[in-house]
Amino acid sequence: MSIVISHGDKGGVGKSLLTCAAIDYHANQKEFDSSKLVILDADPRNADVFRMFDGYPQYGKAERISLASKEDWMKFIDRIQDEKGNGYDYMLSLPAGIGGILSKEGAKFGDLVGQLGHEITMFWTIDRMPDSINLLKRALFDIGGKVKQTIVVKNLFFGEADSFSRWDKSYLRKLFLYQNGIEANLPELHEWVIDQVIGDQLGEDDVKKILLERRLIESSKAENLEKHRTVPFSELLKRPDLRLTLR
């Protein structure tokens, strides 16, 4: 039995996309048993993974879960213990900013679920910015020893594989690979594919309805939303209300 964690601890790196792609891949394997997979989305605001698979039992049982506190993590451990006899695997999608509580509870969580016979695999999705590496370093020192396998995934939406120079040249990468870490590349996907996978983008009618309800536009102007002018950034900064006063 396994617990697969999709992590990255920052928004917009592609954690949800990777989670959805991994679930979809496994669901298309002959030996896949959807009754044995529990899909858990811990994002309290933007539960992309839950929205993707809720109501589609052929992929597994999709649920939302809160992991924002110590008590939440203990409830999760209790749940795993209660469901031990069911032979479930868990796919856990973590939200941005959860690193603080995970650093406190992750090691204990790893110990306890290990005693229950579960192995943890962690996917860590990165972009090309330094905070992806800094957050990974913290996670590896906090819970890395409790994880059977960690896979660092370059999201090629942010550039070619060889353009992730901050990660490629880092000492952390050398240490990571020395400790049998695995690297992988998530292929770049066009925006329309991402919209289909992650979905639920607001359409034109939805946007107009919201604007009208909040009285941000008049009904007579609702049909002219596309008529706008893009302002150069240098021109924007000339506005009196945006000027910086240096003292």
Side-chain angles (χ1 to χ4, degrees):
M1 296 177 288
S2 64
I3 299 174
V4 179
I5 298 175
S6 181
H7 199 2
D9 209 21
K10 58 178 292 189
V13 293
K15 302 182 299 297
S16 296
L17 181 63
L18 181 140
T19 307
C20 292
I23 294 170
D24 182 73
Y25 172 81
H26 286 292
N28 282 282
Q29 305 306 304
K30 291 182 179 180
E31 65 275 13
F32 178 73
D33 183 354
S34 62
S35 68
K36 298 299 184 181
L37 179 62
V38 179
I39 303 166
L40 299 171
D41 193 331
D43 195 322
R45 299 183 62 191
N46 189 28
D48 285 333
V49 175
F50 172 76
R51 287 200 302 271
M52 177 68 184
F53 296 108
D54 181 39
Y56 296 94
Q58 66 269 33
Y59 291 97
K61 182 181 180 182
E63 302 178 22
R64 300 187 70 170
I65 185 174
S66 174
L67 293 174
S69 68
K70 176 180 179 180
E71 291 72 22
D72 290 334
W73 283 93
M74 294 308 297
K75 289 179 181 177
F76 186 28
I77 293 171
D78 289 342
R79 171 181 178 167
I80 294 171
Q81 183 173 13
D82 292 341
E83 297 176 343
K84 182 180 178 181
N86 296 330
Y88 289 150
D89 292 322
Y90 299 87
M91 186 75 180
L92 175 60
S93 180
L94 294 179
I98 201 172
I101 186 66
L102 189 61
S103 68
K104 297 177 182 178
E105 303 302 326
K108 184 187 301 182
F109 174 78
D111 283 334
L112 292 175
V113 298
Q115 294 172 18
L116 294 172
H118 285 74
E119 295 178 336
I120 300 176
T121 298
M122 181 169 70
F123 286 93
W124 188 280
T125 308
I126 65 171
D127 59 16
R128 295 166 57 191
M129 303 307 292
D131 48 352
S132 273
I133 302 171
N134 294 332
L135 292 166
L136 172 60
K137 178 172 68 175
R138 178 177 176 179
L140 289 176
F141 281 105
D142 287 340
I143 63 170
K146 311 300 179 181
V147 175
K148 178 184 179 183
Q149 185 67 69
T150 300
I151 302 100
V152 170
V153 182
K154 296 178 180 178
N155 186 350
L156 302 190
F157 175 82
F158 299 102
E160 299 294 330
D162 58 4
S163 67
F164 287 68
S165 57
R166 290 187 175 94
W167 165 248
D168 290 339
K169 296 178 181 179
S170 68
Y171 179 77
L172 181 65
R173 177 176 180 266
K174 294 180 181 179
L175 180 62
F176 174 76
L177 295 177
Y178 178 77
Q179 295 178 332
N180 298 316
I182 296 174
E183 290 180 321
N185 296 327
L186 179 64
E188 178 186 6
L189 298 175
H190 293 294
E191 284 83 352
W192 70 267
V193 177
I194 295 176
D195 288 344
Q196 290 297 316
V197 174
I198 302 300
D200 284 2
Q201 303 297 319
L202 289 177
E204 180 181 352
D205 292 337
D206 298 313
V207 173
K208 289 178 180 178
K209 181 179 178 181
I210 291 172
L211 293 176
L212 289 169
E213 287 177 349
R214 298 182 181 180
R215 299 181 180 179
L216 298 176
I217 61 170
E218 300 174 7
S219 57
S220 60
K221 297 180 180 180
E223 299 303 321
N224 297 316
L225 288 180
E226 295 184 4
K227 296 182 179 180
H228 69 279
R229 183 172 71 94
T230 301
V231 180
F233 188 67
S234 58
E235 181 178 331
L236 182 67
L237 293 179
K238 293 177 183 179
R239 286 176 43 175
D241 55 329
L242 293 179
R243 288 177 185 167
L244 297 177
T245 300
L246 302 179
R247 300 182 184 276

